[in-house]
Amino acid sequence: MNIKVNGTPRVVEEEATLHSLVPSARGVAVALNGAVVPAAAWHETRLSENDAVEVVTAHQGG
Amino acid sequence: MRVAGIDLPGRLWIGTGGLTSTSLVGEIVEAARPGLVTVSVRRTSDTERGGLLDMLRALGVRILPNTAGCLSAREAVLTAQLAREALETDWVKLEVIGDETSLMPDAVELLDAAETLVRQGFTVLPYTSADPVLARRLVDVGCAAVMPLGSPIGTGRGLDDPRAIEAVRAAVAVPVVLDAGIGTASDAALAMELGCDAVLAATAITRADRPAQMAAALRAAVGAGEMARRAGRIPRLTTARASSPMAGRVGT
């Protein structure tokens, strides 16, 4: 199925979860369709067609 | 100094924006001994190790994520929520800019985002115009400090309007942190002399020829400015006033 990860189109398996996309939660946060999903819920969060996933971390900034 | 009941180890706060290499972070932090260190929150494809984050955690500094680049309250709130999740802190330096050219805060969106985030349990430190009325409104909705700009982001012009900073200081009881526009040590000293509780500098340090040396200079300047403020400066006079006694002069 087709989703977007950080704005880039990506094809993932039908059964894919957030965990299959982002294996490690260390210093990383995830939003699914504009809402934050806590790391504890990544395993059970199934992805759907056209989902938009954001994966972020700390970067330099003032 | 204390912010939201937390003691911070220094009155110079530093930003990591503009770093040419993350390897410089160690020596800058050592020289600045900062109260906290700001980072931005950005998309990543590398979920292996956050290099900058690991480095800051190893240095033991408090990390303050910002919402730099956000143009609406909605974007800023989501960025703050992601930062809380990624960095395990509910502190946020709230930035909502009006456009990408001036980088000036959008007062309406800023106040809206501040109110929402305070309600969600965040400790909100808003980057704001040097406007005492807006500063008071931000404190009214529960912000833990206010961070007025000295001059536009990245300009290094220092304090364009020192009286506006004084007015912000007089308007609120929470800590005032001079943010944006610091170019060199005297700018930081002036901010402290005007009554600011801390100064945040990013590119003044990271884009200096010798970043660690500038960090040390800003630290000294913040200390000197604060000491001078507490010492109580003499009033400015329009006419001269002799300091040597008039009595006992020769030839009189």
Side-chain angles (χ1 to χ4, degrees), chain A residues 6-7 21-24 26-31 34-39 54-62, chain B residues 15-19 38-44 47 49 52-54 66 78 81-82 85-87 93 95 202:
Chain A
N6 287 342
L21 217 58
V22 191
S24 165
R26 208 163 149 276
V28 172
V30 168
V36 177
V37 182
E54 297 280 344
V55 186
V56 303
T57 190
H59 201 259
Q60 56 169 260
Chain B
T16 52
L19 276 173
T38 66
V39 297
S40 64
V41 176
R42 290 291 179 267
R43 287 170 165 175
T44 180
T47 56
R49 290 293 91 106
L52 179 63
L53 186 58
D54 281 350
N66 69 28
L78 177 59
Q81 291 169 336
L82 285 165
E85 189 70 17
L87 308 180
K93 178 186 158 188
E95 294 186 47

Side-chain angles (χ1 to χ4, degrees), chain B residues 14-231:
Chain B
I14 64 173
T16 52
L19 276 173
T20 49
S21 159
T22 48
S23 63
L24 288 170
V25 167
E27 56 182 286
I28 290 173
V29 165
E30 197 184 326
R33 281 181 275 157
L36 48 73
V37 180
T38 66
V39 297
S40 64
V41 176
R42 290 291 179 267
R43 287 170 165 175
T44 180
S45 54
D46 175 18
T47 56
E48 288 285 298
R49 290 293 91 106
L52 179 63
L53 186 58
D54 281 350
M55 207 171 287
L56 292 173
R57 282 184 171 157
L59 289 164
V61 292
R62 175 175 277 273
I63 298 168
L64 178 65
N66 69 28
T67 62
C70 289
L71 288 156
S72 67
R74 188 187 55 77
E75 280 174 42
V77 167
L78 177 59
T79 302
Q81 291 169 336
L82 285 165
R84 174 158 69 177
E85 189 70 17
L87 308 180
E88 293 155 40
T89 174
D90 56 15
W91 284 36
V92 63
K93 178 186 158 188
L94 179 63
E95 294 186 47
V96 189
I97 54 168
D99 63 78
E100 288 165 11
T101 307
S102 72
L103 302 178
M104 292 294 279
D106 181 326
V108 175
E109 295 289 317
L110 181 69
L111 193 60
D112 181 11
E115 196 167 10
T116 303
L117 289 170
V118 167
R119 222 183 303 123
Q120 293 180 8
F122 283 85
T123 295
V124 181
L125 294 79
Y127 164 67
T128 172
S129 319
D131 173 350
V133 180
L134 178 57
R136 206 179 299 121
R137 294 289 298 269
L138 288 162
V139 174
D140 285 347
V141 300
C143 291
V146 289
M147 305 182 69
L149 61 94
S151 49
I153 293 171
T155 60
R157 287 208 302 255
L159 279 59
D160 277 352
D161 187 354
R163 287 188 179 87
I165 299 297
E166 273 184 309
V168 169
R169 167 69 291 169
V172 299
V174 299
V176 175
V177 183
L178 196 285
D179 186 8
I182 294 292
T184 189
S186 51
D187 302 330
L190 176 59
M192 296 303 290
E193 288 167 14
L194 294 174
C196 292
D197 297 282
V199 168
L200 173 60
T203 54
I205 295 170
T206 58
R207 292 187 180 141
D209 289 341
R210 282 170 285 282
Q213 194 171 321
M214 185 58 84
L218 291 180
R219 177 180 164 78
V222 165
E226 195 218 355
M227 207 187 294
R229 164 85 177 177
R230 287 177 192 275

